[in-house]
Amino acid sequence: MSCTRAGSGRADIDQFRAEEARRGSQRGPAQHPGRCGADPRRVVAFSDAVVAIAVTLLVLEIRPPEDTRHLWHGLRELWPSYAAYFLTFLLIGQMWVNHHVMFDHVRAADRLVLLFNTLLLMQIAFLPFASAVLASAFESGHGQRTAVVFYGISYEVAAILFNVIWEYARYGRRLLDPDTDPAAAAAISRRFRPAPVWIAVGTALGAWHPVLGVAVLAAFVPFYWWPIKGEVASIRRAREHAGGESA
């Protein structure tokens, strides 16, 4: 009787291990962030926090007029600060949206993605300072060309990092969600790729004519706020698939 029970116990253990192995292969790397990559939800949550701090710092760079006897005049003179705040807030917001678009299709983040994303967040956190430099130059009337170039370079680095993260994750579909539509992935790439060129052109024009350079950078905002074709349907399919598996 004891031998029968022992044999049965070993069989049960073997069956349990086989079942766990089968389930593990079905779950894939997204369910094992410790071995194959970090959970992208944590990456997004941390990134959201950094973006929230960056946009909050923007308004702190606007200093109220010291001469309250001519307050209205002083408030009018701050128009470069208002313009820099408006432009930079929308650009950072745009980065936040595109960051979510990108990570909605990423199933796991390895160490290189975490490194590139950290560099991207470091650059986003730097943008309030670049915005303050731009506003200060236009308020004083001196150093405007340098300020526009400095501002443009700050965005150029961020745009390049966006492309690096996405193309690295997309290469060979190594880190993409299996349900991501290839057409949607290609559409995201087409959206991201022109950004460094666009910003570089605006930066170069700013070195020649500061107002024109800022206008080109500002034109970047409405174009990149348009939804990416196919992204919504692809994300919906991925979420429905994930909901079906959890059920």
Side-chain angles (χ1 to χ4, degrees):
M1 179 67 72
S2 59
C3 293
T4 304
R5 288 178 178 175
S8 176
R10 284 194 297 269
D12 290 341
I13 292 172
D14 292 341
Q15 183 179 1
F16 174 77
R17 288 175 177 173
E19 182 67 17
E20 283 298 303
R22 183 184 65 81
R23 290 177 180 175
S25 64
Q26 289 178 348
R27 282 194 295 261
Q31 300 294 329
H32 300 281
R35 284 186 293 172
C36 303
D39 187 342
R41 293 173 297 182
R42 294 185 178 181
V43 178
V44 171
F46 177 66
S47 302
D48 287 349
V50 173
V51 170
I53 294 171
V55 295
T56 301
L57 292 176
L58 281 175
V59 74
L60 298 180
E61 295 295 337
I62 304 178
R63 301 285 188 262
E66 296 181 0
D67 184 7
T68 56
R69 292 177 300 176
H70 305 89
L71 186 57
W72 183 245
H73 175 75
L75 290 172
R76 288 202 312 269
E77 292 297 315
L78 289 176
W79 70 265
S81 293
Y82 306 146
Y85 169 81
F86 179 79
L87 175 60
T88 309
F89 197 107
L90 287 179
L91 285 170
I92 293 179
Q94 188 178 86
M95 291 181 182
W96 173 72
V97 170
N98 285 332
H99 191 273
H100 273 262
V101 168
M102 182 165 57
F103 275 90
D104 277 339
H105 297 281
V106 174
R107 61 176 169 78
D110 63 12
R111 283 190 174 270
L112 272 180
V113 168
L114 294 176
L115 171 62
F116 294 142
N117 192 71
T118 299
L119 295 175
L120 174 62
L121 296 178
M122 181 177 68
Q123 194 63 25
I124 291 175
F126 184 77
L127 291 176
F129 174 70
S131 177
V133 170
L134 183 68
S136 178
F138 275 86
E139 286 173 3
S140 66
H142 303 290
Q144 295 175 352
R145 288 182 174 84
T146 302
V148 174
V149 170
F150 183 72
Y151 187 80
I153 290 175
S154 300
Y155 276 103
E156 180 73 10
V157 174
I160 291 172
L161 286 170
F162 258 101
N163 278 274
V164 169
I165 294 171
W166 176 246
E167 293 304 328
Y168 174 79
R170 185 190 172 210
Y171 182 76
R173 299 183 65 87
R174 64 179 125 196
L175 297 176
L176 290 189
D177 191 290
D179 293 321
T180 295
D181 188 349
I188 295 173
S189 293
R190 288 194 301 271
R191 172 63 64 90
F192 286 177
R193 285 172 185 167
V197 177
W198 189 318
I199 297 172
V201 170
T203 303
L205 290 174
W208 170 64
H209 194 293
V211 175
L212 181 59
V214 172
V216 172
L217 293 175
F220 184 83
V221 174
F223 177 79
Y224 273 83
W225 270 104
W226 287 106
I228 298 172
K229 183 179 180 181
E231 65 170 323
V232 177
S234 180
I235 294 170
R236 185 184 301 117
R237 285 195 298 271
R239 288 175 177 169
E240 289 175 352
H241 179 75
E245 285 187 344
S246 63

